[in-house]
Amino acid sequence: MQLGMIGLGRMGANMVQRLMAAGHDCVVFDTNPETVQALAKEGATGADNIQDLCAKLTPPRSVWIMVPAAVVDKVIADLRPHLQADDTIIDGGNSNYQEDIRHQKALRDIGVHFLDCGTSGGVWGRERGYCLMIGGDTDAVQRLDSIFKDLAPGMGDIERTAGRSGEPTPAEQGYLHCGPSGAGHFVKMVHNGIEYALMASYAEGMNILRHAGIGREDQTIDAETAPLANPEHYQYDINLADVAEVWRRGSVVASWLLDLTAIALHEDNELDTYGGRVSDSGEGRWTCQAAIETGTPAPLLTAALYERFSSRGEADFANKILSAMRYQFGGHHEKSES
Amino acid sequence: MQLGMIGLGRMGANMVQRLMAAGHDCVVFDTNPETVQALAKEGATGADNIQDLCAKLTPPRSVWIMVPAAVVDKVIADLRPHLQADDTIIDGGNSNYQEDIRHQKALRDIGVHFLDCGTSGGVWGRERGYCLMIGGDTDAVQRLDSIFKDLAPGMGDIERTAGRSGEPTPAEQGYLHCGPSGAGHFVKMVHNGIEYALMASYAEGMNILRHAGIGREDQTIDAETAPLANPEHYQYDINLADVAEVWRRGSVVASWLLDLTAIALHEDNELDTYGGRVSDSGEGRWTCQAAIETGTPAPLLTAALYERFSSRGEADFANKILSAMRYQFGGHHEKSES
Amino acid sequence: MQLGMIGLGRMGANMVQRLMAAGHDCVVFDTNPETVQALAKEGATGADNIQDLCAKLTPPRSVWIMVPAAVVDKVIADLRPHLQADDTIIDGGNSNYQEDIRHQKALRDIGVHFLDCGTSGGVWGRERGYCLMIGGDTDAVQRLDSIFKDLAPGMGDIERTAGRSGEPTPAEQGYLHCGPSGAGHFVKMVHNGIEYALMASYAEGMNILRHAGIGREDQTIDAETAPLANPEHYQYDINLADVAEVWRRGSVVASWLLDLTAIALHEDNELDTYGGRVSDSGEGRWTCQAAIETGTPAPLLTAALYERFSSRGEADFANKILSAMRYQFGGHHEKSES
Amino acid sequence: MQLGMIGLGRMGANMVQRLMAAGHDCVVFDTNPETVQALAKEGATGADNIQDLCAKLTPPRSVWIMVPAAVVDKVIADLRPHLQADDTIIDGGNSNYQEDIRHQKALRDIGVHFLDCGTSGGVWGRERGYCLMIGGDTDAVQRLDSIFKDLAPGMGDIERTAGRSGEPTPAEQGYLHCGPSGAGHFVKMVHNGIEYALMASYAEGMNILRHAGIGREDQTIDAETAPLANPEHYQYDINLADVAEVWRRGSVVASWLLDLTAIALHEDNELDTYGGRVSDSGEGRWTCQAAIETGTPAPLLTAALYERFSSRGEADFANKILSAMRYQFGGHHEKSES
């Protein structure tokens, strides 16, 4: 079927390519005209602006937005005058689900459907397919079914869940209508909250393995340093790339994130090209805020988020306060790094 | 080759079956004679006791121990008088790696090799193969190579890590010599520490999804209750089994643990057969202790461990102290459960 | 000076008494007429309703609101028609500071000042005085100075901070103008976030002391139970009331919360009258949400909040998921409480 | 009474001075002869070495050791040949309580008593007195009672705990016999574990206050940055020194650590002289290990410890792994600091 796509970054452009490969007809726009031209060469219909994109779509239109969360408001405002009743907007980016609820209410006034679609898969999605978590009215979701189905990975060669039989459900094909407006991004939000914690779990474990040889270093003896009671217990030199590799087969911790870790560590066991300043793009925060608002304990998810903040230096002032207190009560001077 | 197996519980018995299927010759013993007889019917050589097991093995013997960590000491003591120089003991259970260091030292005196082997795979291992993390002297590890290789899953149909080529390494086949004595259990220990945190990450996320409808409940208004500012943001009724299912395909959080979660939730979305008292069997604790001793921050791994403690009521007294303080400074009486 | 007080619960009534003792003239109202009558007997002017209260105050009026956060909106709406330009409302309860910003904007239209005042001190405040954290326009704050000063504890016999000299600042007397609208409740919010964490710190430590004798219990030996390596290290029977008491003098952890803990434990070392379901009243949540929004790592503050959620059973479903996973991969059945 | 003191650092020297002021007779030794001479000038009997110190003490001797934990073993070994039955060693430093159990056993063979004494008070103790947590045999503790009493702060002007009456107990005077060997250091260990968490609680809260103005900064708009939904909520410029000051009077979070924070922030609100690399000297680690071994959840105490590790860069590799994973699945490049 025909789909308009606004936003041709890493995600949007790949999705258009996957859809075109499945036979869909895409009209595309981005503020960067080069990305439009690139996809036009591959068979997409390029648009010069949002009005042009709407003009090139046959009503009832379906317009997929794939832009940073902070820009969604503006794109919807730009779209609004060029849409008509029964058209559909799909926000496939990483918006806060509360925005979806607001957007749907506002668009309902002019009869335009609004769907929210959490989209997971990263740069690998073009080939592997995208996992889609969808929120909104059932009718509007149904109409887009062929788009969702073709963006999703399908059953693939993943073993079927014990107890499931008969015609595969959409969930088994990698896309799910999660509930009314916002439900898709809510589930995607929690997905990312979990993602942060899974990543941190591996990272912490690997970091312990990397410290497994500290018993070989000379131990400092003073009142400021915790003594290492048994240096003979920490004499190992563990090959992290090999550990990630062996865990990929038969272990309880096998996962796609581990596969990626194995790739990265095989390239460079020291990860020297990375500085360790870890960004967060919103969903992890919103997940923890939802945990707090609903009174749900989520210590790991939140700790993972805070580790990212700390990686960017945001704990520095708190640490200075600790040093200041230690100096005040014990006359402890900070030890230098060396 | 020939292998003795002591301990025929869930893990040990399955491993014997996998080894026999690969053509190995197993001599088996367990304090429960029924499990010995059962395997004997399938082709294993049953032994009446440890002495008998040693007598039925041709030197240089290889004896694999698969018993609870707390029993390993006794089994090694029982084995010792019946072994001779160049025999090998492999502890494949969940022992603390520091015990391995001690055992190896003690057995070196009589020329017996000692290997530690962390074994992951659970009840699925018989079919899928076991992920093996091995510690000890290289010569002793080499001699057992065919046993390790056949217990391990092999390459299977798991995609090869980008950048790896040529003859598959043992790690790519699911077994790894991690370093000297203790290194295998050290890596397995951290593996389990990560496992706890991965599990808790999914559990916390699913729990948030389960709380996504609390805005539909009546809100209590008093000074003891945090008000829910926007009940309209929490009106969802998310199908957790479907969410677990959809995440299995194409999402960043796909993993084997998620596959298992999908099975469990498909059986019963409410998980009513479980009480939620979660055991821990040692490795999670040791991982956190290693983190502490080596000065490696591991907040998620430790939080996951503490969640298990709390699930068993071990935070109850701390909570009473909080209530007592609140009463003391604010005259706050506890709210009842209803 | 003259002050109206709406809300005569634990906090409000005590504050009126403290103000009257300092010579202020109080007009009081509460939906519960008995509390109004009780204070009227002590010299306050009782009001039958909000309109009556406003009528009994001489313009420019000052009306202090001391009600649950969820009721503030309604009280302000009820007050509004009876106020006039240059009157002042002070919200002294535990409102979210974002509400203050909203309230101030709305009241500015009719020339009414709005101050937010975080009030700490609990049931002890009447005697000890209240620590006040104030937000709003400087002029309005100044006008109420004598009220704030008399509610606050004053210098008391607390040692002056090294380096401070001259006329004591308001902060040294226990009240502080923290900044524009919302700043008072913002500082009070963080105060309570810290309070939760301080409380949890003591509670966790005391709980460890309470577990110091577990080595005397029989140890279970099975694959589901983490073995206690050195039972001889946990043979103590620590008197918690005495520990709290000794820490009150000369130790680094001395604090008012510890004083209260000492009282509670001296009454009953077992705290048997408490069930351990710990409420949270909003500020702890808002503090963590502010931490998340501002990208500030706050792992302890958030962990303290989550402990309270867990104390109320909100982790139960997450724990069931852990048990379900363990059963799926390892055939582990839950251990009963026995 | 007469007491030998070995170790004349910050703590030991101050304690000798406090004891001499109370009329006790001190024989002192340190590897640094200058500190010996300094105290000799004030009235102590200087010793040239450990043998000399023992010779100058009248049996039954009492020798207090005040040295780094890592040196205690050596000092006891040096003392041993010069002591005789019924002499007493007191380890007043920050030793692991498990060492006490070991030392007591070893010294029992020659009839020498061994007491462990956790000593809190820092550089302020000389004037304020030290909070003492004592472990060991009752007889030996009794014999030293006058020493403990005079090192301790006494009742002072701290309000008596409600419900306590009659002759003040030792706990009310600031010293407590906590139980058999190791109990003193066990309680001191947990004390320090709590101390770390209290410190971190204030530090996190202060850090949130310091971030209260981030809404005034320009917000970055891209897919890598979590958007700040309501910049108008974060427009404050909070004076941290004043906040610490106001909380000292009447608030729930008043404490000695807060008093110290107020001093430090009054000196320099920016704390520019501190780098924020925070040491830990063992007890915090041991507390968390005890929590883990006893199955007691202690998330705050452990988070506080891990924050210190992270402040020293020990999370850096874990953060690199996170960045590497993000690059692998999403093509995310790290953002630079500016």
Side-chain angles (χ1 to χ4, degrees):
Chain A
M1 66 182 278
Q2 192 192 46
L3 184 81
M5 176 69 75
I6 297 175
L8 305 173
R10 271 193 299 264
M11 293 291 288
N14 282 347
M15 290 166 75
V16 166
Q17 289 171 317
R18 185 170 174 91
L19 284 171
M20 292 196 301
H24 295 282
D25 173 22
C26 295
V27 184
V28 302
F29 172 69
D30 192 284
T31 51
N32 175 355
E34 288 177 26
T35 60
V36 177
Q37 287 153 21
L39 284 172
K41 277 190 197 147
E42 301 183 34
T45 305
D48 295 335
N49 51 48
I50 281 180
Q51 179 170 8
D52 185 33
L53 177 131
C54 292
K56 285 172 170 160
L57 289 168
T58 312
R61 302 172 184 86
S62 298
V63 185
W64 191 294
I65 305 176
M66 209 68 202
V67 300
V71 187
V72 170
D73 262 13
K74 184 183 170 350
V75 171
I76 292 179
D78 289 351
L79 268 172
R80 192 180 169 111
H82 309 295
L83 296 182
Q84 67 193 60
D86 214 26
D87 287 351
T88 302
I89 295 177
I90 309 102
D91 180 0
N94 278 325
S95 297
N96 188 318
Y97 75 96
Q98 300 177 5
E99 301 292 295
D100 301 326
I101 297 174
R102 189 167 57 78
H103 288 141
Q104 196 213 22
K105 268 194 197 151
L107 289 165
R108 200 164 41 191
D109 297 342
I110 56 168
V112 171
H113 309 287
F114 182 84
L115 299 181
D116 52 284
C117 180
T119 310
S120 181
V123 292
W124 299 66
R126 183 182 167 183
E127 258 184 57
R128 299 203 325 158
Y130 299 91
C131 177
L132 304 179
M133 294 144 267
I134 308 156
D137 293 340
T138 304
D139 287 354
V141 175
Q142 297 279 3
R143 191 193 293 169
L144 273 289
D145 188 72
S146 72
I147 294 288
F148 293 135
K149 189 191 225 77
D150 288 332
L151 281 174
M155 295 280 284
D157 53 3
I158 291 170
E159 199 172 352
R160 198 160 191 191
T161 292
R164 291 199 180 253
S165 60
E167 191 67 22
T169 64
E172 291 184 274
Q173 300 172 64
Y175 67 107
L176 177 68
H177 181 201
C178 301
S181 195
H185 276 141
F186 191 95
V187 173
K188 174 57 160 51
M189 169 187 84
V190 173
H191 167 281
N192 282 33
I194 294 172
E195 171 192 313
Y196 283 24
L198 298 180
M199 290 170 70
S201 302
Y202 288 114
E204 288 182 6
M206 286 291 178
N207 199 17
I208 296 172
L209 292 179
R210 191 177 161 92
H211 281 74
I214 63 153
R216 296 174 302 192
E217 300 165 17
D218 282 344
Q219 305 298 315
T220 307
I221 296 186
D222 62 30
E224 297 294 287
T225 307
L228 182 59
N230 298 98
E232 71 275 18
H233 291 160
Y234 298 100
Q235 301 283 337
Y236 302 116
D237 187 13
I238 311 278
N239 183 314
L240 300 189
D242 281 348
V243 168
E245 189 62 43
V246 78
W247 286 349
R248 296 183 66 218
R249 289 181 177 80
S251 96
V252 172
V253 303
S255 72
W256 189 56
L257 282 166
L258 181 65
D259 296 345
L260 300 178
T261 307
I263 297 173
L265 287 168
H266 181 68
E267 284 174 2
D268 174 11
N269 236 325
E270 301 294 316
L271 301 177
D272 276 337
T273 56
Y274 299 97
R277 290 180 66 85
V278 190
S279 292
D280 76 282
S281 51
E283 305 87 351
R285 299 184 180 201
W286 304 328
T287 302
C288 296
Q289 291 182 312
I292 291 168
E293 291 199 347
T294 60
T296 314
L300 278 85
L301 271 49
T302 312
L305 181 67
Y306 287 150
E307 285 185 351
R308 294 192 174 196
F309 295 170
S310 292
S311 81
R312 306 198 301 257
E314 299 294 354
D316 291 357
F317 186 73
N319 293 330
K320 288 184 178 193
I321 290 189
L322 296 181
S323 284
M325 284 187 190
R326 296 186 81 241
Y327 178 72
Q328 288 294 337
F329 70 69
H332 302 288
H333 287 281
E334 287 185 332
K335 298 186 59 142
S336 64
E337 186 163 353
S338 65
Chain B
M1 66 181 279
Q2 193 193 43
L3 184 81
M5 176 69 74
I6 297 176
L8 305 173
R10 272 193 300 266
M11 294 290 288
N14 281 348
M15 291 165 75
V16 166
Q17 289 171 317
R18 184 170 175 92
L19 285 172
M20 292 196 301
H24 295 283
D25 172 22
C26 295
V27 184
V28 302
F29 172 68
D30 192 286
T31 52
N32 176 356
E34 289 177 26
T35 59
V36 177
Q37 288 153 20
L39 284 172
K41 277 188 197 149
E42 301 184 35
T45 304
D48 295 335
N49 50 48
I50 283 180
Q51 181 172 8
D52 185 33
L53 178 130
C54 292
K56 284 173 170 160
L57 289 168
T58 311
R61 301 173 186 86
S62 299
V63 185
W64 192 294
I65 304 178
M66 209 67 201
V67 299
V71 189
V72 169
D73 262 12
K74 185 183 169 348
V75 171
I76 292 178
D78 290 350
L79 269 172
R80 193 180 168 109
H82 309 297
L83 296 182
Q84 66 193 61
D86 214 26
D87 287 350
T88 302
I89 296 178
I90 309 102
D91 180 1
N94 278 325
S95 298
N96 188 317
Y97 76 96
Q98 300 177 4
E99 301 293 295
D100 301 326
I101 297 174
R102 189 167 57 78
H103 288 142
Q104 196 213 21
K105 268 193 197 152
L107 290 165
R108 201 164 39 190
D109 295 343
I110 56 167
V112 169
H113 309 288
F114 182 84
L115 299 181
D116 52 283
C117 180
T119 310
S120 182
V123 292
W124 299 67
R126 183 181 166 185
E127 257 184 58
R128 298 202 327 158
Y130 299 91
C131 177
L132 303 178
M133 295 143 267
I134 308 157
D137 292 340
T138 304
D139 287 353
V141 175
Q142 298 279 3
R143 191 193 293 168
L144 273 289
D145 188 73
S146 72
I147 295 289
F148 294 136
K149 188 190 225 85
D150 288 333
L151 281 173
M155 295 280 284
D157 52 3
I158 293 170
E159 199 172 352
R160 199 160 192 190
T161 293
R164 291 201 181 252
S165 58
E167 191 67 22
T169 64
E172 291 184 276
Q173 299 172 64
Y175 67 108
L176 177 67
H177 182 201
C178 301
S181 195
H185 276 141
F186 192 95
V187 173
K188 175 57 162 49
M189 171 187 83
V190 173
H191 167 281
N192 282 32
I194 294 172
E195 172 192 313
Y196 283 25
L198 299 180
M199 290 170 69
S201 302
Y202 289 115
E204 289 182 6
M206 286 291 177
N207 199 18
I208 296 172
L209 292 179
R210 192 177 160 93
H211 281 74
I214 63 153
R216 295 173 303 192
E217 299 165 18
D218 282 344
Q219 305 299 315
T220 308
I221 296 187
D222 63 30
E224 297 294 285
T225 307
L228 181 59
N230 298 98
E232 72 275 16
H233 291 159
Y234 298 100
Q235 301 282 336
Y236 301 116
D237 186 13
I238 311 277
N239 184 314
L240 299 189
D242 281 348
V243 168
E245 189 63 42
V246 78
W247 285 349
R248 297 182 66 218
R249 290 180 177 81
S251 95
V252 172
V253 303
S255 73
W256 190 55
L257 282 165
L258 181 65
D259 296 346
L260 301 177
T261 307
I263 297 173
L265 287 168
H266 181 69
E267 283 174 3
D268 174 11
N269 235 325
E270 302 294 316
L271 301 177
D272 275 338
T273 57
Y274 299 97
R277 290 180 64 84
V278 190
S279 292
D280 76 283
S281 51
E283 305 87 351
R285 298 183 181 200
W286 304 329
T287 303
C288 296
Q289 291 182 314
I292 291 168
E293 291 198 347
T294 60
T296 315
L300 279 85
L301 271 48
T302 312
L305 181 68
Y306 287 150
E307 286 187 350
R308 294 193 175 196
F309 294 171
S310 292
S311 81
R312 306 197 302 257
E314 299 294 355
D316 291 358
F317 186 73
N319 293 331
K320 288 183 179 193
I321 290 189
L322 296 181
S323 285
M325 283 188 190
R326 295 186 82 241
Y327 178 72
Q328 289 294 337
F329 70 69
H332 302 289
H333 288 280
E334 287 185 334
K335 299 185 60 140
S336 64
E337 187 164 351
S338 66
Chain C
M1 67 181 279
Q2 191 192 45
L3 184 80
M5 174 69 75
I6 297 175
L8 305 172
R10 270 193 301 264
M11 294 290 287
N14 281 349
M15 291 165 74
V16 166
Q17 288 171 318
R18 186 171 174 89
L19 285 172
M20 292 195 301
H24 296 283
D25 172 22
C26 295
V27 184
V28 303
F29 172 69
D30 192 285
T31 52
N32 176 355
E34 289 177 26
T35 60
V36 176
Q37 287 153 21
L39 285 172
K41 277 188 198 150
E42 300 183 34
T45 305
D48 295 335
N49 50 48
I50 282 180
Q51 181 171 7
D52 185 33
L53 177 129
C54 292
K56 286 172 171 160
L57 291 167
T58 311
R61 301 171 184 88
S62 298
V63 185
W64 191 294
I65 305 177
M66 208 68 202
V67 300
V71 188
V72 170
D73 262 13
K74 184 182 168 351
V75 171
I76 292 178
D78 290 350
L79 269 172
R80 191 179 170 111
H82 310 295
L83 295 182
Q84 66 194 61
D86 214 25
D87 287 351
T88 302
I89 296 177
I90 309 103
D91 180 0
N94 278 325
S95 298
N96 188 318
Y97 76 96
Q98 300 177 5
E99 300 294 294
D100 301 326
I101 297 174
R102 189 167 57 78
H103 289 141
Q104 196 215 20
K105 267 193 197 151
L107 290 165
R108 201 165 38 192
D109 296 343
I110 56 167
V112 170
H113 309 288
F114 182 85
L115 299 182
D116 52 283
C117 179
T119 310
S120 182
V123 293
W124 299 67
R126 184 182 166 184
E127 257 184 58
R128 298 202 328 159
Y130 299 91
C131 177
L132 303 178
M133 295 144 266
I134 309 156
D137 293 339
T138 302
D139 287 353
V141 175
Q142 297 278 3
R143 191 193 294 170
L144 273 289
D145 188 72
S146 72
I147 294 289
F148 294 136
K149 187 192 227 79
D150 288 333
L151 282 173
M155 294 280 284
D157 53 2
I158 292 170
E159 199 172 352
R160 199 161 190 189
T161 293
R164 290 200 181 251
S165 59
E167 192 68 22
T169 65
E172 290 184 275
Q173 299 173 64
Y175 66 107
L176 178 67
H177 181 201
C178 301
S181 196
H185 276 140
F186 191 95
V187 173
K188 175 58 161 50
M189 170 187 84
V190 173
H191 167 282
N192 282 32
I194 293 172
E195 171 192 314
Y196 282 26
L198 298 180
M199 290 170 70
S201 303
Y202 288 113
E204 288 182 7
M206 286 291 177
N207 199 18
I208 296 172
L209 291 179
R210 194 177 159 93
H211 281 73
I214 64 154
R216 296 174 302 191
E217 300 166 16
D218 282 344
Q219 305 299 316
T220 308
I221 296 186
D222 62 30
E224 297 294 288
T225 307
L228 181 60
N230 298 97
E232 72 276 16
H233 291 159
Y234 298 100
Q235 302 282 335
Y236 301 115
D237 186 14
I238 311 278
N239 184 313
L240 300 189
D242 281 347
V243 168
E245 190 63 42
V246 80
W247 285 349
R248 296 182 67 218
R249 288 179 178 81
S251 96
V252 173
V253 304
S255 72
W256 190 56
L257 283 164
L258 180 66
D259 296 345
L260 301 178
T261 307
I263 297 173
L265 287 168
H266 181 68
E267 285 175 2
D268 174 12
N269 235 325
E270 301 295 316
L271 301 177
D272 276 338
T273 57
Y274 300 96
R277 291 180 64 83
V278 190
S279 293
D280 76 283
S281 51
E283 305 86 352
R285 301 185 180 199
W286 305 329
T287 303
C288 297
Q289 291 182 314
I292 291 169
E293 290 198 349
T294 60
T296 314
L300 278 86
L301 272 49
T302 312
L305 181 69
Y306 287 150
E307 285 186 352
R308 294 193 174 196
F309 295 171
S310 292
S311 81
R312 306 198 302 257
E314 299 295 354
D316 291 357
F317 186 73
N319 293 331
K320 288 184 178 192
I321 290 188
L322 296 181
S323 284
M325 284 187 189
R326 294 186 83 242
Y327 178 73
Q328 289 293 337
F329 71 69
H332 302 288
H333 287 281
E334 287 185 334
K335 298 188 60 141
S336 64
E337 191 164 348
S338 78
Chain D
M1 66 181 279
Q2 192 193 45
L3 184 82
M5 176 69 75
I6 298 174
L8 305 172
R10 270 192 301 265
M11 294 289 288
N14 281 349
M15 290 164 75
V16 166
Q17 289 171 316
R18 184 170 175 90
L19 285 172
M20 292 195 301
H24 296 281
D25 172 22
C26 296
V27 184
V28 303
F29 172 68
D30 192 286
T31 51
N32 175 356
E34 289 176 26
T35 60
V36 177
Q37 286 153 21
L39 284 172
K41 277 188 197 148
E42 302 184 33
T45 305
D48 295 335
N49 51 48
I50 282 180
Q51 181 171 5
D52 185 34
L53 177 130
C54 292
K56 285 172 171 161
L57 289 167
T58 313
R61 302 172 184 87
S62 297
V63 184
W64 191 294
I65 305 177
M66 210 67 203
V67 300
V71 188
V72 170
D73 262 13
K74 184 182 170 348
V75 171
I76 292 179
D78 290 351
L79 268 172
R80 192 180 169 110
H82 309 297
L83 295 182
Q84 66 192 62
D86 215 26
D87 287 351
T88 302
I89 296 177
I90 309 103
D91 180 1
N94 278 326
S95 298
N96 188 318
Y97 76 97
Q98 300 178 4
E99 301 293 295
D100 301 325
I101 297 174
R102 188 167 58 78
H103 289 141
Q104 195 214 21
K105 268 193 198 151
L107 290 165
R108 202 164 39 191
D109 297 342
I110 57 167
V112 170
H113 309 289
F114 182 85
L115 299 181
D116 52 283
C117 180
T119 310
S120 182
V123 291
W124 299 67
R126 183 181 166 185
E127 257 184 59
R128 299 203 325 158
Y130 299 91
C131 177
L132 303 178
M133 295 144 267
I134 308 157
D137 293 339
T138 304
D139 286 354
V141 175
Q142 298 278 4
R143 190 193 293 168
L144 273 289
D145 188 74
S146 72
I147 295 289
F148 294 136
K149 189 191 224 81
D150 289 332
L151 281 173
M155 295 278 285
D157 53 2
I158 292 171
E159 200 171 351
R160 199 160 191 191
T161 293
R164 291 199 181 253
S165 59
E167 191 67 23
T169 64
E172 291 184 275
Q173 298 173 64
Y175 67 108
L176 177 68
H177 182 201
C178 301
S181 195
H185 276 140
F186 191 95
V187 172
K188 175 56 161 49
M189 169 187 86
V190 173
H191 167 281
N192 282 33
I194 293 172
E195 171 193 314
Y196 283 24
L198 299 179
M199 290 170 69
S201 302
Y202 289 114
E204 288 181 7
M206 286 290 177
N207 199 17
I208 296 172
L209 292 179
R210 194 177 158 94
H211 281 74
I214 63 153
R216 295 174 302 192
E217 299 165 18
D218 282 344
Q219 305 300 315
T220 308
I221 295 184
D222 62 31
E224 299 293 287
T225 306
L228 181 59
N230 298 98
E232 71 276 17
H233 291 160
Y234 298 101
Q235 301 283 335
Y236 301 115
D237 186 13
I238 311 276
N239 183 314
L240 299 189
D242 280 348
V243 168
E245 190 63 42
V246 79
W247 286 349
R248 296 182 67 216
R249 288 180 177 80
S251 96
V252 173
V253 304
S255 73
W256 190 56
L257 283 165
L258 181 65
D259 296 345
L260 300 178
T261 308
I263 297 173
L265 287 167
H266 181 70
E267 284 174 3
D268 174 12
N269 236 325
E270 301 294 317
L271 301 177
D272 276 337
T273 57
Y274 299 96
R277 291 180 64 84
V278 190
S279 293
D280 76 285
S281 51
E283 304 87 353
R285 299 184 181 200
W286 305 329
T287 302
C288 296
Q289 291 182 314
I292 291 169
E293 290 198 349
T294 60
T296 314
L300 278 85
L301 271 49
T302 312
L305 182 68
Y306 288 150
E307 285 186 351
R308 293 193 174 196
F309 294 171
S310 292
S311 81
R312 306 197 301 257
E314 299 295 351
D316 291 357
F317 187 73
N319 292 331
K320 288 184 178 191
I321 290 189
L322 296 181
S323 284
M325 284 187 189
R326 295 186 81 242
Y327 177 73
Q328 288 294 336
F329 70 69
H332 302 288
H333 287 282
E334 287 185 333
K335 298 186 60 142
S336 63
E337 187 164 353
S338 67

